[in-house]
Amino acid sequence: MTRASHRMRLSWFRLPKAGAHWAEYEDAIGINRAALRFAVADGATESFASAAWARLLALNWVAEPEGISPERFQVMVGRLGAGLHEEWSRAELAWYAEEKAKRGSHAAFAGLQLAEFGDLLMWTAIALGDACLMVRNGGKLSESFPLSSPDQFGTRPIMVPSLASNQPDALSHLAIKMGTARPGDIFLLMTDAAAAWYLVQSEMAGSVLAEFDSLLANRRHDALTRLLEAERTARRLRNDDIAILRIAFDEAGSM
Amino acid sequence: MYRFQDGNPSYIAEISRTAPTLFIFLLDQSESMEDPFGGSGAVSKAAFISDAVNRVLHDLVIRSTKTEEVRNYYYISVIGYGSTVGPAMAGPLAGRELVSIAEVADYPARIEIRSKTVADASGQTSTSPVRFPIWVDPKSENGTPMCQALQRAKDLAAEWVSDHPHGFPPTILHLTDGESNDGNPITLAREIKALATTDGNVLIFNCHTSTNRAAKVEYPEDPSRLPDEFARLLWEMSSILPERFRRTAMDLGLTLDEGAAGFVFNADPSAVVQFFEIGSTSTARLI
């Protein structure tokens, strides 16, 4: 167990699209506290078995050995995709399910690796699509990766495909970014609807972000649900599945 | 809350199992549909259009497929008019005026095996067998009772908006190759366009196919560009393309001004395919 993991405070929140059941929820959160490795993934609604694909990506990525590289990500995605398609090819599927399965599944992905170097805490993020890492400090947003503007959401992003033939092209768009954590940094991994909303709120005076962060940190899920449902009703938050993972550290001691 | 800009409906309602939308395919099955497009070619307009409708239904099924389940985001009505006016699907769904997309998925009349040409990364082409479900067979008999068909579509759409007052409104995709012979359809078309949910008015898009080699006119915003009274009548019967439909059309390479009507005159086969693509895929992002 690392020193950082001792001081780490994790909280997460999931909410399905309004009007949908939990069984239809297609986002996923992966947590490996010991390895300081975290991920969110967002299965593309229009593709086949996207919830399963998002879960596979998030849970397997956090279980991978420490370190991030595009090559390792490609190997993992290739292995997981092949396994999934093999499973589907063995299943007896109706004509439409078989055809949809052949087109594969897609998911947006954002992963975060934290690593201690002496007193320093370094972070590395890897992402494809519109799931994002936000870094907030002292009420200000200091990082938004890979998308940094609300205008960048809403188009069809390139996502992680399960189908091997689609992987080389899609994964060539993988984005990686590194940074050094500062005392007080709060890391937030979010799927697209929440990320787009968060970016808009960050630019607004009198936004609800302080309340949002307090509710999230204190795991007040009922109150957080009410807040986000109100934001949906006001059409400030797009009605989509939500996955948010918050990683913060107690202030005691240096980073 | 629904956003209305300049008094226009916004066509932004989410499409879900609890708030599905309706597609009505209105198909001219009169005798002249037996003729080929543009006066040449082996395939009749009726055969080409039934294939095009089958392809749209197939795509709507695939779009609604989640894992092994088809979710009822869409309801479908296919109405043919020619020797009779009524439901035009064959097989287990014959005689059904309104069916869910899950029923469409589970009950094609038959599944044909056709060959599809695919190109690999190096550009080499090869053919592979693909399953092609059939729900609608070509038919071409007698006259063009367009008004009766529009009346059926209007009744269906009226019932739908009454049952789904806040949903994405029904979309009617009408294909014809000739003038109505049971009256002037303009009043019915206006009545259809006046039906609305809180999200927008019912949409009716018209596609005219021609046996002549006359130049096609696609999605005109100005009826003065049209060659005759019949074309202007169909233009007036057509809804203005809402923005998301206009964007789909532009993604397909068409250049359309604001105010473009959902109307194609003298459509060739590619224009028919595009017409269905614009009419049926523009709402995909609302799921």
Side-chain angles (χ1 to χ4, degrees):
Chain A
M1 189 79 76
T2 63
R3 288 188 303 130
S5 70
H6 278 302
R7 294 186 287 110
M8 188 164 56
R9 287 170 60 86
L10 289 181
S11 53
W12 58 90
F13 178 76
R14 303 184 308 145
L15 188 65
K17 188 173 175 167
H21 307 292
W22 273 107
E24 299 167 44
Y25 183 75
E26 292 166 332
D27 286 359
I29 296 176
I31 297 172
N32 186 340
R33 190 182 178 107
L36 298 175
R37 218 167 150 88
F38 312 94
V40 293
D42 177 359
T45 302
E46 62 272 22
S47 67
F48 188 75
S50 55
W53 180 234
R55 251 193 330 270
L56 269 180
L57 289 173
L59 298 182
N60 280 273
W61 188 80
V62 298
E64 289 267 300
E66 190 177 324
I68 287 181
S69 76
E71 294 74 21
R72 280 180 50 188
F73 192 82
Q74 286 160 14
V75 169
M76 182 197 80
V77 169
R79 171 172 51 81
L80 297 176
L84 201 56
H85 281 268
E86 170 67 21
E87 186 184 313
W88 293 339
S89 69
R90 284 199 307 267
E92 278 198 25
L93 300 174
W95 70 267
Y96 43 84
E98 188 181 320
E99 184 166 330
K100 187 98 174 200
K102 280 181 186 165
R103 300 179 187 197
S105 198
H106 297 80
F109 177 88
L112 172 68
Q113 171 82 70
L114 300 172
E116 288 177 296
F117 293 93
D119 285 345
L120 287 179
L121 185 68
M122 307 293 294
W123 60 264
T124 311
I126 183 166
L128 185 62
D130 49 13
C132 289
L133 168 71
M134 309 280 178
V135 185
R136 194 169 180 85
N137 193 308
K140 287 191 174 168
L141 189 63
S142 58
E143 187 68 58
S144 177
F145 168 80
L147 306 185
S148 56
S149 158
D151 304 338
Q152 294 172 291
F153 293 84
T155 53
R156 286 183 176 274
I158 295 168
M159 294 190 177
V160 183
S162 63
L163 197 60
S165 58
N166 291 339
Q167 286 167 5
D169 186 42
L171 298 183
S172 69
H173 296 274
L174 268 172
I176 292 182
K177 189 161 190 176
M178 300 176 75
T180 305
R182 297 169 302 155
D185 271 356
I186 295 168
F187 298 89
L188 293 155
L189 286 166
M190 301 184 183
T191 49
D192 64 330
W197 171 81
Y198 197 91
L199 277 174
V200 171
Q201 290 289 315
S202 296
E203 293 167 2
M204 278 171 57
S207 81
V208 294
L209 283 193
E211 182 188 359
F212 166 81
D213 193 61
S214 167
L215 295 175
L216 179 61
N218 293 295
R219 302 178 188 183
R220 293 187 53 201
H221 289 181
D222 289 347
L224 196 50
T225 300
R226 284 194 296 277
L227 185 149
L228 293 179
E229 283 179 345
E231 291 297 289
R232 281 176 175 168
T233 303
R235 290 195 174 273
R236 287 188 288 268
L237 172 63
R238 191 162 58 80
N239 186 20
D240 196 0
D241 292 338
I242 289 175
I244 305 168
L245 173 59
R246 180 184 189 273
I247 305 138
F249 295 88
D250 288 336
E251 289 295 324
S254 62
M255 282 279 190
Chain B
M1 296 296 289
Y2 293 87
R3 282 182 305 209
F4 289 80
Q5 293 176 342
D6 306 318
N8 293 320
S10 45
Y11 298 100
I12 55 169
E14 266 176 25
I15 296 169
S16 67
R17 284 185 283 193
T18 50
T21 192
L22 169 65
F23 283 106
I24 300 174
F25 296 88
L26 217 49
L27 307 180
D28 182 344
Q29 296 181 322
S30 62
E31 194 171 351
S32 54
M33 294 297 284
E34 188 55 37
D35 300 332
F37 274 99
S40 64
V43 180
S44 69
K45 287 182 284 187
F48 186 87
I49 284 164
S50 60
D51 258 13
V53 173
N54 287 323
R55 198 165 285 115
V56 174
L57 294 176
H58 166 275
D59 291 349
L60 291 173
V61 168
I62 297 298
R63 197 186 305 158
S64 307
T65 300
K66 307 291 166 192
T67 318
E68 294 174 45
E69 168 198 26
V70 175
R71 295 185 185 167
N72 282 328
Y73 300 131
Y74 305 113
Y75 282 73
I76 305 294
S77 179
V78 184
I79 296 170
Y81 62 97
S83 57
T84 57
V85 177
M89 284 203 244
L93 300 178
R96 300 275 305 276
E97 194 157 57
L98 185 66
V99 293
S100 70
I101 197 68
E103 291 176 293
V104 172
D106 285 331
Y107 301 111
R110 61 190 180 279
I111 296 182
E112 295 182 356
I113 303 296
R114 300 193 179 179
S115 61
K116 182 182 178 184
T117 304
V118 288
D120 63 19
S122 66
Q124 291 274 352
T125 58
S126 59
T127 57
S128 61
V130 291
R131 287 188 285 199
F132 192 86
I134 304 287
W135 293 273
V136 179
D137 283 316
K139 198 172 165 188
S140 45
E141 287 175 345
N142 289 7
T144 312
M146 191 186 292
C147 290
Q148 285 183 63
L150 286 167
Q151 183 65 53
R152 295 290 279 265
K154 181 189 148 195
D155 292 345
L156 271 170
E159 194 174 341
W160 183 271
V161 299
S162 166
D163 292 345
H164 304 83
H166 304 298
F168 194 95
T171 305
I172 300 170
L173 301 174
H174 176 210
L175 268 112
T176 183
D177 78 338
E179 296 186 39
S180 167
N181 63 8
D182 66 346
N184 188 332
I186 188 63
T187 304
L188 278 161
R190 283 181 186 142
E191 288 168 357
I192 287 171
K193 288 198 285 182
L195 296 167
T197 69
T198 53
D199 189 51
N201 289 70
V202 171
L203 297 166
I204 177 166
F205 303 141
N206 295 287
C207 181
H208 167 265
T209 62
S210 176
T211 307
N212 303 321
R213 289 178 182 276
K216 65 185 171 189
V217 183
E218 296 177 288
Y219 311 101
E221 75 284 358
D222 177 5
S224 67
R225 289 168 50 199
L226 294 165
D228 57 35
E229 279 306 309
F230 174 52
R232 282 188 279 277
L233 170 74
L234 286 172
W235 182 88
E236 199 180 339
M237 287 170 61
S238 305
S239 303
I240 300 298
L241 284 174
E243 185 56 22
R244 70 174 61 251
F245 289 76
R246 197 167 72 91
R247 279 204 307 269
T248 305
M250 293 195 289
D251 288 346
L252 292 170
L254 294 163
T255 307
L256 303 186
D257 291 327
E258 275 186 40
F263 170 50
V264 183
F265 193 67
N266 284 330
D268 57 14
S270 66
V272 170
V273 171
Q274 266 187 345
F275 175 80
F276 279 128
E277 180 93 1
I278 293 164
S280 67
T281 66
S282 300
T283 54
R285 293 277 286 168
L286 293 173
I287 288 178

